[in-house]
Amino acid sequence: MELPFAESWRIKMVEPIKKSTREEREKWMKEADYNLFQLRSDQVYIDCLTDSGTGAMSDRQWAAVMMGDESYAGSSSFFHLKETINKITGFEYVIPTHQGRAAENVLFSHLVKAGSIVPGNSHFDTTKGHIESRKATALDCTIDEAKDTQLEIPFKGNVDPKKLEKALAEHHENVPFIIVTITNNTAGGQPVSMQNLREVRAIADKYGKRVVLDSARFAENAYFIKTREEGYADKTIKEIALEMFSLADGMTMSAKKDGIVNMGGFIATRHEDWYEGAKRFCIPFEGYLTYGGMNGRDMEALAVGLDENTEFDNLETRIHQVEFLAGLLDEYGIPYQRPVGGHAIFVDADKVLTKVPKEEFPAQTLAIELYLEAGVRGCEIGYILADRDPVTRENRFGGLDLLRLCVARRVYTDNHMRVIAAALKNVFDRRNEITRGVEIVWEAELMRHFTVKLKKLF
Ligand code: F0G
C-alpha cells in the first residue's frame, strides 16, 4: 500500500484553543460592530484571519533567538540576516524594517512622488495605500483571467504584458518602478510564472525602468514554479528563488509570511542609489541601519526561517494542507478562486450569497456567518477592503468580493481544516435564506476594513 502524505515536521509545543457557544459569538460579534478585526483572539476558535505573523517557529529558530546580538550598531545578527538574504536573493544591499508596509514606506518615500504611476499586479492594500497617500496611482495590470474565479490556469497572478506595455507607453515619464507581487495575494495567493517575470523584465528594460518584487510569499511562488512551470521540476526552491530575483532590481518583504517570523521585514536591492536613498528614510522612520525595525533576536530567527522555508519539504507540507482544505470545499460544491493558491482559500462570496446585494457586502456577510456558525475567523478581501475611489469617493465594486480563509504556517492540523470546511458547508447549505448583509455606520478614509463599524441588516 502506498503511504499517505504526512507533515515534514513533528510537534514540540502546543497552545490550547477554546470553543464557544453561538450565543456568546452573537454577543461578541455585535460588540465588535460586525468587524472581525475587532474581536479578541480568545473569542476565536480557529483563526484564519491571516497567515501574517501567525506561523509557528521551528526549534532551530527558537534556538537562534537565544543568539540575538542586541547591539545598537553593527549587530552580528544583522550580518547573519544580510548574508542569508544575499545568498537567497542575490541582492547586495539590505535594510531591515519592522514589517512589510514599513519596507514600502521607506522605499516609496525615496521613489514615489505626487503624480507617480506605479504599475503592478493587484497591489496589496498597504502597497496601494503607500502609493495613494503620496497622491500617486497604483495601476493594476493583472491578467483579466484572474477575475474569473472558476477558470483553472496555473499562473493566475501574472501581469498582463499588454496592459503593462500600454501603461509604460502612456506614462513612462511618471513611472518610478514596476511592482510585481509574488504570490499575488489579492487575486487569491496566485503565483506569477518565471516566464511572466521575464516578460516584465523585457518591458521594463525597453523603457529603462526598474522592477520591485513584493516578496511576502516568494517561497510559495517558487514552489508553484517548480511544480507547475515547464523546465523547473528538477531545480531546487533556492535556485528558483535566485532566478526570480535575478529578474528584478529590488524587493520589499513582509517576513511575517514566508520568513516564518512573527514580526519583521526588509528592503533588499542590487542598486546602491536605491539603498542610499532609502537609508535616509530608514533612520528616522525605523531605526539605525543594522536593526531598522527589528530586534537582534528576531533577525536571527528570520535568517533561519528564510533558509528553512526555501526548502521543498516545508513548502510541500504547507501547500498540501491548503489543497486538503480546498479538496473538502470541492466535495461540498463551494466556489472559490481556482486553482487554490498558496496561503489561503478565497471563497467567491458573490457566487455563494447571491441574494445579498453588493451594496450590503456579501463577503463580509459570509465572514460574519462563518464566525457565528463555528468561531472560525476569516477576512473579507472584497468591497470593504477595496476602499472608496480617492477621487469620486464612491465604493469600488469593480473587483472580486471574496472571503479569505488563511492557513497559518505549521499551526493547525488537517482536523482543523475539516472543521473549517464543515462550518462553511453549514452556512453554504442555508445560503438562500441569507438575503440581507451589512451597512457601514463608520469608516476611515484609507484602509477602512481594519476599523470599519457595521450594522447587521439580517
Ligand atoms: N505585501 C503583501 C503581498 C502582503 O500580503 C502584505 C501583508 C504586505 C505587503 C504588508 O506586509 O503586513 O508585514 O506590513 N499582508 C497581510 C495579509 C497583512 O493578511 O495578507 P506587513
Side-chain angles (χ1 to χ4, degrees):
M1 174 179 186
E2 198 186 331
L3 298 181
F5 181 84
E7 291 75 8
S8 64
W9 35 257
R10 56 184 178 177
I11 296 165
K12 198 177 303 223
M13 190 184 282
V14 296
E15 176 187 2
I17 50 176
K18 263 203 326 248
K19 286 190 194 172
S20 54
T21 64
R22 179 160 184 124
E23 209 180 3
E24 285 172 323
R25 293 193 292 274
E26 299 264 6
K27 177 170 162 280
W28 294 333
M29 194 71 275
K30 188 156 186 268
E31 285 168 1
D33 295 303
Y34 298 95
N35 179 343
L36 292 116
F37 284 97
Q38 301 300 318
L39 290 170
R40 293 168 51 126
S41 64
D42 55 10
Q43 297 167 340
V44 174
Y45 175 40
I46 302 174
D47 207 345
C48 301
L49 186 70
T50 180
D51 64 320
S52 180
T54 53
M57 293 209 294
S58 68
D59 51 357
R60 279 179 63 216
Q61 284 180 287
W62 281 110
V65 163
M66 298 306 291
M67 301 303 288
D69 173 0
E70 306 302 341
S71 301
Y72 190 97
S75 161
S76 57
S77 303
F78 167 75
F79 292 102
H80 291 158
L81 176 61
K82 181 176 181 287
E83 280 153 24
T84 305
I85 295 169
N86 295 157
K87 219 183 309 165
I88 289 175
T89 67
F91 294 141
E92 182 182 344
Y93 300 100
V94 175
I95 296 178
T97 60
H98 77 273
Q99 59 185 94
R101 68 199 67 185
E104 292 163 358
N105 190 30
V106 169
L107 185 63
F108 295 4
S109 291
H110 172 50
L111 297 175
V112 180
K113 309 275 176 287
S116 292
I117 292 173
V118 184
N121 56 339
S122 328
H123 311 65
F124 183 66
D125 57 332
T126 60
T127 318
K128 195 164 70 183
H130 277 303
I131 293 169
E132 290 181 350
S133 66
R134 289 175 170 81
K135 303 205 170 358
T137 308
L139 194 66
D140 187 6
C141 298
T142 310
I143 52 168
D144 289 335
E145 289 91 328
K147 282 195 175 178
D148 178 354
T149 60
Q150 300 313 292
L151 182 74
E152 296 250 3
I153 54 169
F155 292 100
K156 228 175 171 175
N158 277 356
V159 177
D160 184 332
K162 284 203 201 76
K163 288 187 196 172
L164 182 64
E165 173 92 45
K166 183 165 180 282
L168 284 165
E170 284 170 12
H171 305 292
H172 61 94
E173 279 161 22
N174 295 320
V175 173
F177 57 89
I178 299 158
I179 189 159
V180 184
T181 305
I182 52 171
T183 59
N184 183 329
N185 180 4
T186 313
Q190 297 293 327
V192 174
S193 69
M194 195 73 85
Q195 177 56 25
N196 193 239
L197 290 176
R198 266 186 230 115
E199 286 161 353
V200 170
R201 177 78 265 166
I203 296 168
D205 286 346
K206 182 171 160 193
Y207 290 90
K209 298 295 168 189
R210 290 182 181 174
V211 178
V212 172
L213 296 183
D214 175 348
S215 309
R217 300 177 182 86
F218 78 95
E220 289 166 8
N221 201 82
Y223 174 90
F224 286 121
I225 288 176
K226 181 177 170 71
T227 54
R228 293 181 184 173
E229 191 164 351
E230 216 186 303
Y232 288 92
D234 296 329
K235 292 210 156 66
T236 65
I237 297 293
K238 285 190 168 66
E239 285 167 345
I240 295 170
L242 202 55
E243 186 174 337
M244 291 183 332
F245 290 116
S246 77
L247 296 165
D249 297 280
M251 67 192 284
T252 51
M253 176 75 186
S254 168
K256 302 170 71 170
K257 285 83 166 173
D258 274 351
I260 326 194
V261 288
N262 304 113
M263 191 55 73
F266 58 86
I267 298 164
T269 176
R270 65 177 84 262
H271 298 293
E272 192 178 358
D273 61 317
W274 272 11
Y275 174 67
E276 291 298 328
K279 248 166 80 173
R280 293 180 300 136
F281 296 97
C282 178
I283 294 176
F285 291 170
E286 290 292 296
Y288 181 63
L289 299 170
T290 56
Y291 70 89
M294 296 184 74
N295 296 308
R297 53 183 171 270
D298 289 347
M299 291 191 282
E300 292 284 354
L302 174 55
V304 176
L306 286 170
D307 179 46
E308 275 181 5
N309 203 31
T310 44
E311 288 299 320
F312 182 74
D313 285 358
N314 203 64
L315 288 160
E316 186 187 34
T317 294
R318 161 162 190 66
I319 307 279
H320 189 273
Q321 187 168 52
V322 180
E323 285 171 351
F324 174 74
L325 178 56
L328 294 173
L329 266 50
D330 287 341
E331 220 176 277
Y332 306 148
I334 301 170
Y336 60 86
Q337 172 69 301
R338 309 185 70 87
V340 71
H343 66 295
I345 306 265
F346 287 64
V347 181
D348 191 343
D350 247 3
K351 289 197 166 53
V352 176
L353 298 184
T354 51
K355 304 217 159 120
V356 176
K358 62 180 187 310
E359 292 77 11
E360 296 181 12
F361 305 107
Q364 180 65 19
T365 306
L366 189 59
I368 295 165
E369 285 284 355
L370 180 65
Y371 173 73
L372 295 177
E373 179 68 28
V376 174
R377 173 160 70 169
C379 174
E380 191 248 33
I381 301 276
Y383 303 143
I384 296 181
L385 179 113
D387 275 338
R388 289 176 189 272
D389 185 287
V391 179
T392 66
R393 302 306 302 156
E394 292 294 322
N395 278 312
R396 295 192 263 209
F397 291 122
L400 294 171
D401 196 35
L402 306 167
L403 164 62
R404 186 181 74 168
L405 297 171
C406 276
V407 181
R409 293 170 183 77
R410 311 192 287 211
V411 170
Y412 292 113
T413 68
D414 287 357
N415 284 328
H416 294 110
M417 301 301 118
R418 285 184 225 278
V419 174
I420 298 164
L424 197 58
K425 179 182 189 303
N426 291 346
V427 176
F428 185 66
D429 286 348
R430 54 182 169 74
R431 62 192 178 280
N432 291 328
E433 295 154 33
I434 304 168
T435 57
R436 299 300 306 269
V438 289
E439 180 182 274
I440 295 178
V441 289
W442 183 87
E443 65 185 282
E445 203 174 311
L446 216 69
M447 297 189 208
R448 62 180 178 180
H449 68 292
F450 290 118
T451 52
V452 70
K453 292 186 180 178
L454 301 164
K455 197 170 93 188
K456 191 171 152 208
L457 302 170
F458 52 97

